Amino acid sequence: MSDTPAQSVAFVRETAIPPSPAPANASGIVKWMRDNLFATWPNALLTIASIYVIYLILAGTMPWIFNGVWNTNSLAECREVLDGTVGACFSVLTERWNQLLFGFKYPVDQYWRPLTAFLLMFAALAPVLFFDLPRKLLIITALFPFVAYWLIWGGTIWTPLFALLGFVAGYLVYARFVTQSFAVGFFGGVFAAVVVWIVTGYITPMLAPEQPLLEAVPSRDLGGYMLNMMLGLTCVSLSLPLGIALALGRQSSMPLIKWICVIFIEFIRGVPLITLLFVANVMLAYFFPPGSGVDLFLRVVIMITMFSSAYIAEVIRGGLAALPKGQYEAADSLGLDYPQAMRLIILPQALKISIPGIVNIAVGLFKDTTLVSVISMFDILGMIRGPILASTDWNGVYWELLGFACVVFFVVCYSISQYSQWLERRLATDHR
Amino acid sequence: MADTAQMKVSDEVAISIQQMNKWYGAFHVLRDIDLTVYQGERIVICGPSGSGKSTLIRCINALEEHQKGSIEVDGTLLSSDLKNIDKIRSEVGMCFQHFNLFPHLTILENCTLAPIWVRKTPKKEAEETAMHFLEKVKIPDQANKYPGQLSGGQQQRVAIARSLCMRPRIMLFDEPTSALDPEMIKEVLDTMIELAEEGMTMLCVTHEMGFARQVANRVIFMDEGQIVEQNEPEAFFNNPQSPRTQLFLSQILGH
Ligand SMILES: Nc1ncnc2c1ncn2[C@@H]1O[C@H](COP(=O)(O)OP(=O)(O)OP(=O)(O)O)[C@@H](O)[C@H]1O
Ligand SMILES: [Mg+2]
C-alpha cells in the first residue's frame, strides 16, 4: 500500500467534470460556411462556380415567370401586352384550366362532381396511409370507389349499388366458409359475387330511371389531369394486391400456380407498356362478349394494372427472399397456418423491405398514365398536344403548358416519395 | 440443490419415434431412429456438428419431413395431413438457436399472436397469459419494446415465453444458448431449469454438459445420423460405452 498518489498508477475519479459549451469558433454560420463551402481552394472555386450557374438559371427564368401575363385571350394578345419584353404567357392556364384538369368534353356545370370525388379521396386514403387512425374509418375507404364512380360517371345509382352488393355477398360467403378452408371460402366468395353481378346486370337496365339524378358521362368524355389521377389511383390500388398474389404464387409449392405466375410476370415484363395500351385500345374488345361494350377506361386500367403488378410482384419477391428462413419456421412452429403466417408475419416484414421499390413503381406508373394520350385519350398531355396547342389562339405556348404538367405531376410524385420516407421511419422497429 | 434428474417420470408416452429415416436428396441424414419420450421426461441430445441433432428435433414438429418410419406425438400420428401437423405444432413449443422473434411486433405481441390466432383466445386473456409468462422469465418490464431493443439472453427468454403462451405439452430446444455471450447463457439456462422443475417434457439439443447433468433424465449421443448411445447422465458422463462417445466427451470436456 502506498500513501501518496504519485507512487500509484491506480486512480479513481471522485467528482465529475461539469460540461462546458464549445468554443465560439467551433459553431455558428461562419464556421458552417468555412467547413462546408470554403474548406479548401478547389472547394471554394467549386462553390463560386455553382453559385454562378444558379445565378444564370434564375436570371433566365425569373423575369420570364414574374413578367408573365395572366389575363389575355390568346397568344397574340400576350405578345402585344409583352411588347417584345421577356415574359410567359400564363393566360393559357387561366383560360384553359378547366380543359387541363377535366378534359374538353366533361359537362362544365358538373365539375363539382369530380371535385367532390377528389376531396373524398383524401378521406378514403387517410386511414390506409396513416394506420394510427381508428380502423373504423376504413369503411369510408371501402365505400369510396363506389361513391366516386357514381359521382364521376353519373347515371343510375343502381350500377355502383349492385357492384357493392356483389362484394358484400362475396364477403359474406367467404366469411361463412373460410373456417372450413381458405380456398373454399375464397372461391365461394368469388362465385357468389359473380352470380350477383350477372343477375343484377340484367335487372339494372329495367330499374334505370329516364332522368338519373346525376347526368351520365361516358368514359370518352373524361380527360385532363382528372383522367391521370383516376388511372393512377385505380391502377396503384389494384396492382398492389395483385402483385402480392403474384409474388406469393411464384413462391408456391404448387407447380401449376407457380408456372402461371412465372409466365405472366415474365411475359408482361418483356412487353412495352405502349404495346399493351394499343392492345387495350383495339384488341381486348375481342375477348369480351360482343356488344358488352367493355369500357375503354376499364380496358386501359386492366392493362396498366397487369403491367405494374408484374413489376410490384418482383419487388415483393425480393422482400420475401430477404427474410430469414427462421421467420417462416417460427411461424410454423407456433401452429399458424399459411394464410395467417403470410398475413401476420411474412408480408408485413417483406412489404416493409419492399417499400422503396414499390414506391418507385407507383411513381413510375402514375407518370406512365400520360401514355394513354397515344391511344387518343385526352389526359393532361393529350389535351395539351391536341385541343389546346392545335387551337389558333394558343398555338405555340409550349413552355407554359408543359411546365404546368410538370408541376402537377411533381406535386403528387413528391408527396408519394415523402410519404414513403415517413412510412419507412414509422415502421423502423429493428433498431439496428 | 435438488437433483431434478432423479425426479419421477410417468409412463405416459409423449413422443414415440419408430424406425424413422430421413434423406436430403441422396444424403441419408437420419438412420433408423427409435426413441420413446415419456411425459415429464427431460432429454438432452448431444453429438458432433452435422450429426443430425437439429434435423431430428425439427422432424418432431414437422419443420422437416421424414421419409420413412413413424413419429407419434401425444397420440397423433405425424403424416402429410395438414390438420395433424397443425395440431402437433400447437402442442409442441420450439426454441431456436437464433431466437427467431418477430422483429415487427412488440414483445407482448410476439407472445399473444399465436394464442389469439391459433387458439382463438380473447385478446385480453392472451395478454394476461403473456404477462404471466414474461414475469416467469423475468422480463415483464420489456413487454412493450421491440425484439431489436433487447439483449440476446433476453430475446431467448422471450422466445421461451412465446412458446409457453401456447401452453405446450412438450418443448423442443435447438441449441438455445449457443448464440449467446457467456454471461447470458446462465439466465437462459436458469429459465430452462425452472421449466424442467415444473415437469415440462423437454428435448434439448445442447452442449451445456452442466445443464445435462443437473436436469436431464437421459442423455442421447448422436453421430452420423444415428443414436449411438443413451443413458442416465451420471452413467453417460462417467462411464461412456461407445468409443465414439468417449472421443466426443474427451473433446468437449477434456480441456
Ligand atoms: N436443407 C438441407 N439440405 C441438405 N442437407 C442438409 C440440410 N440441412 C442439413 N443438412 C445436412 O444434414 C446434416 C445434419 O444437419 P443438422 O443441422 O441436423 O446437424 P446438427 O447435428 O444439428 O449440427 P450442428 O451441431 O452443427 O447444429 C448435416 O450434414 C447438414 O449438412
Ligand atoms: Mg443444429
Side-chain angles (χ1 to χ4, degrees):
Chain A
M1 277 251 168
S2 61
D3 295 316
T4 57
Q7 284 175 302
S8 167
V9 246
F11 166 75
V12 176
R13 183 182 297 286
E14 274 157 4
T15 54
I17 300 172
S20 53
N25 64 354
S27 56
I29 179 115
V30 177
K31 142 102 178 142
W32 182 87
M33 282 184 29
R34 184 142 28 85
D35 279 3
N36 295 292
L37 300 180
F38 303 100
T40 60
W41 268 111
N43 215 327
L45 280 179
L46 277 178
T47 302
I48 292 169
S50 315
I51 291 176
Y52 183 63
V53 170
I54 294 172
Y55 165 77
L56 281 186
I57 294 173
L58 291 183
T61 52
M62 284 301 122
W64 183 77
I65 292 177
F66 287 111
N67 203 20
V69 179
W70 290 87
N71 48 9
T72 59
N73 286 320
S74 71
L75 184 58
E77 282 181 38
C78 266
R79 293 208 170 114
E80 241 166 67
V81 172
L82 284 169
D83 198 17
T85 54
V86 178
C89 184
F90 292 121
S91 314
V92 66
L93 304 181
T94 49
E95 209 231 7
R96 295 293 176 102
W97 65 272
N98 52 347
Q99 295 193 349
L100 287 168
L101 294 184
F102 300 102
F104 64 128
K105 285 196 203 145
Y106 205 92
V108 180
D109 55 343
Q110 304 290 322
Y111 282 165
W112 63 272
R113 283 160 44 181
L115 270 178
T116 316
F118 178 70
L119 294 179
L120 281 178
M121 177 187 80
F122 291 101
L125 283 180
V128 180
L129 299 184
F130 304 100
F131 32 82
D132 294 325
L133 293 174
R135 297 290 76 195
K136 287 211 178 71
L137 289 179
L138 280 173
I139 300 235
I140 303 181
T141 313
L143 293 180
F144 173 73
F146 307 98
V147 176
Y149 171 86
W150 188 54
L151 280 172
I152 292 173
W153 274 274
T156 166
I157 195 170
W158 293 108
T159 313
L161 272 187
F162 284 140
L164 179 61
L165 185 71
F167 279 106
V168 172
Y171 176 76
L172 289 180
V173 172
Y174 167 82
R176 166 79 179 70
F177 287 105
V178 75
T179 41
Q180 284 180 20
S181 113
F182 178 75
V184 174
F186 181 75
F187 290 110
V190 171
F191 181 74
V194 170
V195 167
V196 170
W197 287 328
I198 290 178
V199 171
T200 54
Y202 284 107
I203 306 178
T204 313
M206 291 180 246
L207 292 175
E210 283 291 299
Q211 271 301 315
L213 197 55
L214 294 183
E215 174 190 340
V217 179
S219 295
R220 270 286 171 202
D221 291 359
L222 305 176
Y225 193 54
M226 171 180 79
L227 186 60
N228 296 103
M229 290 284 281
M230 286 163 62
L231 285 172
L233 188 67
T234 319
C235 295
V236 169
S237 36
L238 290 178
S239 58
L240 194 58
L242 189 59
I244 294 174
L246 284 170
L248 292 181
R250 191 168 187 165
Q251 278 206 328
S252 166
S253 53
M254 283 180 269
L256 192 63
I257 291 184
K258 180 176 173 170
W259 285 112
I260 290 176
C261 292
V262 169
I263 291 171
F264 179 89
I265 292 172
E266 295 303 333
F267 175 75
I268 296 284
R269 288 204 307 163
V271 180
L273 179 55
I274 292 256
T275 318
L276 290 179
L277 289 177
F278 279 125
V279 171
N281 194 17
V282 293
M283 266 183 53
L284 208 60
Y286 295 122
F287 291 111
F288 295 103
S292 70
V294 171
D295 198 271
L296 180 64
F297 181 82
L298 183 59
R299 282 183 265 155
V300 168
V301 163
I302 292 176
M303 281 306 180
I304 300 184
T305 302
M306 292 204 316
F307 187 79
S308 50
S309 65
Y311 282 87
I312 289 185
E314 285 300 281
V315 170
I316 294 178
R317 187 166 70 105
L320 289 170
L323 280 197
K325 210 164 138 250
Q327 293 291 311
Y328 292 85
E329 291 175 352
D332 282 347
S333 75
L334 285 170
L336 297 172
D337 59 22
Y338 177 82
Q340 288 171 341
M342 288 299 137
R343 190 158 59 88
L344 302 168
I345 310 297
I346 306 300
L347 281 177
Q349 298 184 60
L351 288 179
K352 187 178 114 188
I353 302 174
S354 322
I355 290 173
I358 293 177
V359 167
N360 220 351
I361 290 170
V363 167
L365 179 157
F366 182 57
K367 293 185 294 183
D368 281 351
T369 57
T370 53
L371 288 176
V372 299
S373 62
V374 301
I375 54 168
S376 57
M377 287 174 92
F378 291 96
D379 76 314
I380 187 168
L381 223 58
M383 285 308 299
I384 291 175
R385 296 192 321 150
I388 299 182
L389 278 179
S391 69
T392 44
D393 284 349
W394 301 112
N395 193 344
V397 213
Y398 294 101
W399 288 95
E400 293 81 352
L401 287 167
L402 294 177
F404 176 73
C406 286
V407 168
V408 287
F409 273 100
F410 177 79
V411 167
V412 173
C413 294
Y414 185 70
S415 315
I416 298 178
S417 142
Q418 286 300 305
Y419 169 74
S420 86
Q421 284 177 29
W422 172 83
L423 186 64
E424 275 180 68
R425 280 195 303 274
R426 171 68 179 68
L427 292 179
T429 58
D430 40 6
H431 305 282
R432 254 174 242 135
Chain B
M1 199 191 316
D3 201 9
T4 36
Q6 299 308 313
M7 231 155 87
K8 267 253 165 286
V9 292
S10 73
D11 44 5
E12 192 188 331
V13 175
I15 303 172
S16 150
I17 302 177
Q18 274 163 16
Q19 290 294 305
M20 194 262 281
N21 282 268
K22 171 163 182 63
W23 288 263
Y24 280 124
F27 177 52
H28 200 169
V29 215
L30 294 178
R31 309 177 193 184
D32 289 349
I33 302 285
D34 279 304
L35 178 65
T36 306
V37 181
Y38 294 96
Q39 203 67 58
E41 211 177 6
R42 294 165 309 273
I43 294 182
V44 164
I45 303 173
C46 60
S49 182
S51 55
K53 310 177 295 289
S54 301
T55 312
L56 172 61
I57 68 165
R58 290 157 59 86
C59 279
I60 294 174
N61 67 352
L63 286 183
E64 302 286 352
E65 207 181 352
H66 61 280
Q67 278 88 32
K68 210 176 125 204
S70 72
I71 302 179
E72 220 175 284
V73 181
D74 245 348
T76 311
L77 185 69
L78 198 56
S79 58
S80 52
D81 185 351
L82 286 177
K83 283 238 161 60
N84 281 358
I85 292 183
D86 283 341
K87 178 161 183 291
I88 286 174
R89 281 179 180 162
S90 63
E91 275 170 34
V92 178
M94 177 147 187
C95 289
F96 302 86
Q97 184 176 1
H98 296 289
F99 333 130
N100 297 351
L101 294 178
F102 304 129
H104 62 301
L105 301 176
T106 63
I107 301 305
L108 189 63
E109 288 165 342
N110 263 279
C111 293
T112 55
L113 183 103
I116 289 177
W117 291 94
V118 180
R119 292 249 190 273
K120 317 280 180 215
T121 318
K123 183 158 184 261
K124 191 129 195 328
E125 196 185 318
E127 279 175 359
E128 278 162 19
T129 315
M131 286 315 291
H132 168 76
F133 284 112
L134 285 175
E135 257 156 50
K136 215 168 116 108
V137 300
K138 305 194 178 61
I139 31 180
D141 45 329
Q142 315 280 1
N144 291 316
K145 289 194 183 169
Y146 286 93
Q149 295 166 298
L150 268 54
S151 76
Q154 291 173 322
Q155 291 193 42
Q156 191 60 290
R157 283 183 283 149
V158 171
I160 295 174
R162 176 177 73 178
S163 297
L164 292 178
C165 284
M166 285 293 281
R167 309 241 180 224
R169 316 236 303 150
I170 300 163
M171 285 288 291
L172 309 175
F173 294 86
D174 190 0
E175 307 204 30
T177 55
S178 57
L180 297 178
D181 292 339
E183 70 264 37
M184 298 176 188
I185 291 180
K186 187 173 175 303
E187 61 187 49
V188 171
L189 287 182
D190 284 346
T191 308
M192 292 169 63
I193 291 170
E194 203 178 306
L195 204 57
E197 280 166 354
E198 286 168 13
M200 175 68 77
T201 312
M202 293 165 61
L203 260 83
C204 185
V205 176
T206 182
H207 293 141
E208 295 295 329
M209 290 307 149
F211 173 79
R213 272 182 201 273
Q214 189 187 343
V215 169
N217 310 84
R218 209 178 345 155
V219 181
I220 291 179
F221 174 72
M222 285 184 69
D223 194 13
E224 295 185 351
Q226 301 160 62
I227 296 182
V228 175
E229 185 166 347
Q230 51 176 315
N231 211 333
E232 292 186 347
E234 279 311 303
F236 180 86
F237 289 112
N238 299 340
N239 191 13
Q241 302 295 313
S242 141
R244 279 192 276 175
T245 318
Q246 289 161 4
L247 180 67
F248 175 75
L249 286 178
S250 71
Q251 280 168 348
I252 199 166
L253 303 169
H255 44 172

